[in-house]
Amino acid sequence: MLYIVPTPIGNLEDITFRAIRILKEVDFILAENILNSKKLLNFFKIKNNILSYNIYNEHKIIFNIILFLKKCNNIALITDAGTPIISDPGFLLVRHCIKNNIKVSCLPGATAFIPALINSGFSINEFTFIGFLPHKKSKEKKIKTLCKETETETETETESRTIIIYESTYRILNTLYIIKNYIGNKQISICREISKKFEQTIIGNINDIIFFFENKKPKGEFVIILQGKTRTRGTERI
């Protein structure tokens, strides 16, 4: 069995009792970053074998992992924070397990975009998780396509999906500049450092948010929430 085990994205208390038990019982643990993961394992007194598994070595070691699993062994996959495979390594391993009739069990647990979406107050009837945007020219093209969904809709009974984007400290301002170019000074929501000491949610016009981060250096991982099209009839908001 391959267990996909979510780990805390900030507060260590966010891990589940089941996750701790699985990490203690499996034959060994695959971790995105061994040093980071050892801090978590040591905190919960989990003494187990740990092996590095990340985007740089997964193609090299995946065959041996599959062989190990075929011998009726159990492995847990964890990443630095949150649910593995969500903008983290692991998809390739799960796909190979399915092809080889190896059972996969994903435990429920921490992930950043759900709290950020709920904190925004925007519609949750339909939403799209984009994850991290591509780099350079592809990034602006992707943002342009996404922002078309946030334009105001008139004479309609439907509302488009809310859009969720992950962004890093170093790219957040550039991304906000590009979004502004396509949606203007509309309201958005930004969450940072979810479940950590300096957790923060900012909801407001994009100009105000840009001004805030221009004058206060951005820190941490960010979740950007773009509201879908607004339903209107004539001039009346619904």
Side-chain angles (χ1 to χ4, degrees), residues 10-233:
N11 192 320
L12 293 179
E13 294 178 353
D14 292 337
I15 198 167
T16 66
F17 290 120
R18 183 184 175 204
I20 294 172
R21 177 178 62 80
I22 293 295
L23 293 175
K24 288 180 178 180
E25 292 179 352
V26 292
D27 294 287
F28 70 84
I29 299 167
L30 296 174
E32 182 182 8
N33 185 301
I34 291 177
L35 291 177
N36 285 344
S37 295
K38 278 188 174 180
K39 296 175 185 177
L40 173 72
L41 300 179
N42 290 337
F43 184 85
F44 289 105
K45 299 179 182 179
I46 298 170
K47 297 178 180 180
N48 206 334
N49 298 315
I50 186 167
L51 179 69
S52 175
Y53 179 88
N54 50 57
I55 59 173
Y56 304 107
N57 71 355
E58 61 180 345
H59 289 276
K60 298 177 182 178
I61 67 173
I62 198 164
F63 180 71
N64 288 332
I65 295 172
I66 295 299
L67 285 179
F68 189 81
L69 287 164
K70 280 185 172 182
K71 294 178 181 179
C72 298
N73 294 300
N74 297 314
I75 297 175
L77 173 67
I78 61 176
T79 51
D80 287 349
T83 301
I85 306 171
I86 304 298
S87 294
D88 278 320
F91 166 75
L92 186 65
L93 178 56
V94 169
R95 187 169 63 179
H96 275 73
C97 285
I98 293 169
K99 286 182 178 180
N100 287 275
N101 296 315
I102 297 168
K103 292 182 179 180
V104 178
S105 177
C106 182
L107 278 62
T111 189
F113 74 84
I114 293 297
L117 174 62
I118 293 170
N119 288 345
S120 74
F122 297 162
S123 173
I124 60 170
N125 292 332
E126 291 186 32
F127 60 87
T128 299
F129 173 69
I130 304 302
F132 287 99
L133 294 164
H135 291 271
K136 300 181 180 180
K137 292 183 179 179
S138 298
K139 174 182 176 180
E140 182 161 357
K141 184 178 180 181
K142 181 70 172 179
I143 290 175
K144 181 179 180 181
T145 301
L146 293 172
C147 286
K148 286 182 179 179
E149 297 192 29
T150 69
E151 297 168 356
T152 301
E153 182 101 9
T154 58
E155 301 296 336
T156 181
E157 294 297 327
T158 61
E159 190 170 24
S160 69
R161 52 193 182 167
T162 298
I163 297 166
I164 306 167
I165 300 169
Y166 281 173
E167 196 49 281
S168 69
T169 298
Y170 305 104
R171 304 204 312 164
I172 183 67
L173 268 173
N174 175 258
T175 298
L176 291 176
Y177 293 145
I178 297 173
I179 291 172
K180 179 187 172 181
N181 286 339
Y182 293 108
I183 69 171
N185 190 29
K186 291 186 68 175
Q187 190 175 66
I188 66 171
S189 175
I190 290 186
C191 281
R192 58 180 289 270
E193 300 293 85
I194 293 171
S195 88
K196 298 179 183 178
K197 182 178 180 180
F198 298 104
E199 177 179 346
Q200 184 178 34
T201 297
I202 305 174
I203 304 170
N205 294 331
I206 192 166
N207 281 346
D208 294 335
I209 293 176
I210 287 174
F211 179 80
F212 177 83
F213 286 118
E214 284 177 336
N215 290 275
K216 185 175 182 179
K217 186 177 179 180
K219 293 182 180 180
E221 296 273 319
F222 293 82
V223 185
I224 304 172
I225 311 291
L226 303 181
Q227 191 172 21
K229 293 178 182 178
T230 303
R231 292 177 294 174
T232 62
R233 285 180 181 166

